[in-house]
Amino acid sequence: MTNIHNNLLRSFAVLLLLLICNSMLADKIVRKITKNNAMFKSKKTVDMRHYGWASIEGGYHMLQEDFDDLNTLGGSAVHVGTGYEFQLHGIYTSIGVDFNLWTSSATTQPYNFDQRMYDTQGKLMTYHFKISESIERSSGVIAAFPIMIGYSFQGIHIGGGVSFGYNLSAKSRVKREYVTSATYPQYIEDFTNMPNHFYTNYESTNTEKLVMKTPINILGEIGYNVLRSNKYQKYQNMQSTILKVGAFIEYGLCNVFENELDGVLVEPNPEHPTQLNLHPYYNNKSTTEHNIFPISAGIKVTYMMRIPTKNCHCY
């Protein structure tokens, strides 16, 4: 936990530094342009605005993969964030911090395996496990730092950018249903449907921590300022609050898992032969020749409040 706190403090420090540098750089660029450009020899107004914002996003989320024996069902994601936005004549840049709570589900194909052991009477047998389709439900929390640039006109805004994340926590819950039976060398038929002899239906579950890499995503957004009024369009420069409602998309650029060797997904429990030890697919499958990356899309609502500054720069 100490490392997580230290990383978060460093991240917030970097974010604050970027915010200050962004504001100072924008102001310096505007002053230089307006002084050197002949069109500003007469007194002109440069429309610069500074906003603080808070947003909430929600929608579909999935871990996209290309494994043949895994079927991704997807899940959901909720983002809550805050940050700073600078606007100059319709062009805007934005930085912030975003906390993402995500879930995603997947299923694996059914399969069978056998285990030679002795029964309760000391007789040698082959114990059969017939495993049906399993379900894995993964979830996690990510602290992300989005950087956006875009353009707004007539109340419509379109933007894109990139997000760098840090995994605060991630886990996966595995559930498998299976049927057991047994074969003895001295008998021809399989022994099935005998609960008293442990030949029946079972279910095993297990939850493990997921080991994930830092996610890097490209971002896109489009929306409309619902507080904008055509009736008072000439007073838009005086607008102190903005409410953007629109859609967003995030697409992962890199593999969020890095496993070099294949591990064991299912193994018998030596202390309880009827139980299975289960392990998450993402932690135990080699990803060196595969890709697993997040994709999210949904609705985004952003409330913005103007930071009191000088409304124009006149030279």
Side-chain angles (χ1 to χ4, degrees), residues 55-118:
S55 70
I56 184 169
E57 308 170 30
Y60 178 77
H61 176 88
M62 68 179 295
L63 291 174
Q64 178 64 39
E65 43 75 26
D66 58 358
F67 291 96
D68 294 332
D69 56 347
L70 190 67
N71 179 34
T72 302
L73 303 177
S76 61
V78 175
H79 304 242
V80 178
T82 186
Y84 162 80
E85 179 172 306
F86 168 75
Q87 297 183 1
L88 175 62
H89 291 297
I91 299 175
Y92 65 87
T93 60
S94 173
I95 58 174
V97 60
D98 179 283
F99 293 95
N100 175 11
L101 289 74
W102 62 269
T103 64
S104 184
S105 299
T107 60
T108 57
Q109 297 178 352
Y111 67 98
N112 307 329
F113 73 93
D114 303 325
Q115 180 80 8
R116 292 179 65 84
M117 62 181 68
Y118 291 92

Side-chain angles (χ1 to χ4, degrees), residues 74 96-97 105 149 213 256 280 303:
V97 60
S105 299
I149 185 169
K213 295 170 55 181
V256 292
Y303 180 77

Side-chain angles (χ1 to χ4, degrees), residues 11 13 22 38 59 78 100 118 145 149 158 216 218 256 263 290 292:
S11 300
N22 184 46
V78 175
N100 175 11
Y118 291 92
F145 304 93
I149 185 169
I158 301 175
I216 301 176
I218 56 174
V256 292
H290 299 273
I292 307 174

Side-chain angles (χ1 to χ4, degrees), residues 147-167:
I147 303 172
M148 300 283 290
I149 185 169
Y151 183 72
S152 60
F153 59 96
Q154 301 296 317
I156 300 172
H157 69 275
I158 301 175
V162 64
S163 172
F164 303 90
Y166 178 80
N167 290 294

